[in-house]
């Protein structure tokens, strides 16, 4: 059962990953994600359905447009593969939970937001607000089906708590944390809080640790200058996904051995 849900989620992830590529390219450029259909950035030729199969088409065309030969970035199939792998992992983790759809939405949103933040230093409201709405509905639905309204109450409370913590940090150090991160924190809090308060604390803390460790490493390796801005969204996303996937064993471990 778990393997089946993981496999279906993974295949679904390939298709969603293809959609996320469109979102990642168009949303920061303020373009519609519905029209026009995908076209080659080199020659504007519309991309035929048979050339729009996730990962497979890119490999068959050897990363080039069929009409003009313009190279197509390896980022496209990589985003599709990453989405498929993470969807499969989330499918395995939540195979027996009604919260699976909520965590798939979260995962897709965090992939898109992380890549947009890395490239544009931006966490667009056009993604965050609809995902907030979708998660509230999906977590409420999961709580209803699992007869556990406590989880939904905790989820909303955790969203508010996360928002408040990030708001204070932003207020104290607006250069250290942009307001985009504050808006993102509500969504992270909702998702971690549905699982538990330990997951909330761990997931947010892990985000800060990833940011600090990788930030210092990038400066030490001179990949990034000391004054250069480093987007924080991807680290927060990574911290949250760590505790969404592995929160149960991590929180248990902490309770037994961590103090
Ligand atoms: Zn072309």
């Amino acid at each position: 059962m778990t393997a089946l849900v993981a496999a279906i989620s993974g295949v679904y992830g390939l298709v969603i990953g293809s959609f996320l590529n469109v979102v990642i390219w168009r949303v920061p450029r303020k373009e519609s994600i519905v029209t026009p259909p995908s076209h080659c950035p080199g020659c504007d030729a519309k991309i035929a359905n048979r050339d729009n199969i996730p990962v497979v088409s890119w490999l068959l065309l050897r990363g080039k447009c069929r009409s003009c030969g313009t190279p197509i970035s390896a980022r496209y199939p990589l985003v599709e593969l990453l989405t498929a792998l993470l969807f499969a992992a989330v499918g395995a983790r939540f195979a027996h939970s009604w919260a699976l759809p909520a965590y798939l939405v979260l995962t897709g949103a965090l992939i898109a937001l992380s890549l947009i933040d890395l490239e544009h230093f931006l966490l667009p409201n056009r993604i965050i607000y609809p995902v907030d709405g979708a998660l509230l509905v999906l977590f409420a639905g999961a709580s209803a089906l699992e007869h556990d309204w406590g989880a939904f109450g905790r989820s909303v409370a955790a969203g508010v708590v996360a928002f408040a913590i990030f708001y204070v940090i932003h207020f104290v150090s607006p250069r250290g944390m942009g307001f985009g991160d504050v808006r993102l924190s509500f969504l992270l809090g909702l998702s971690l809080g549905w699982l538990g308060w330990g997951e909330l604390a761990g997931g947010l803390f892990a985000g800060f640790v990833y940011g600090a460790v990788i930030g210092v490493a990038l400066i030490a390796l001179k990949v990034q200058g000391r004054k250069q801005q480093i987007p924080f969204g991807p680290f927060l996303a990574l911290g949250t996904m760590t505790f969404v996937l592995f929160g149960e064993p991590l929180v248990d471990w902490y309770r037994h051995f961590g103090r």
Side-chain angles (χ1 to χ4, degrees), residues 39-45 64-70 72:
H39 52 88
C40 164
C43 68
D44 249 6
K64 292 192 183 89
C65 166
R66 186 186 286 276
S67 332
C68 71
T70 297
I72 297 164

Side-chain angles (χ1 to χ4, degrees), residues 154-155 157-159 161-163 165 185-186 188-206 240 243 251:
R154 191 175 58 230
S155 165
V161 167
F163 188 90
I165 294 171
S185 67
F186 178 70
L188 304 179
L190 277 182
S191 312
L192 291 164
W194 201 83
L195 297 169
W197 290 108
E199 279 82 352
L200 175 74
L204 298 184
F205 184 67
T240 293
F243 273 76
V251 171

Side-chain angles (χ1 to χ4, degrees), residues 49-72:
N49 284 336
R50 62 171 173 165
D51 293 339
N52 216 358
I53 303 160
V55 185
V56 176
S57 293
W58 189 89
L59 291 173
L60 287 178
L61 294 169
R62 296 203 178 81
K64 292 192 183 89
C65 166
R66 186 186 286 276
S67 332
C68 71
T70 297
I72 297 164

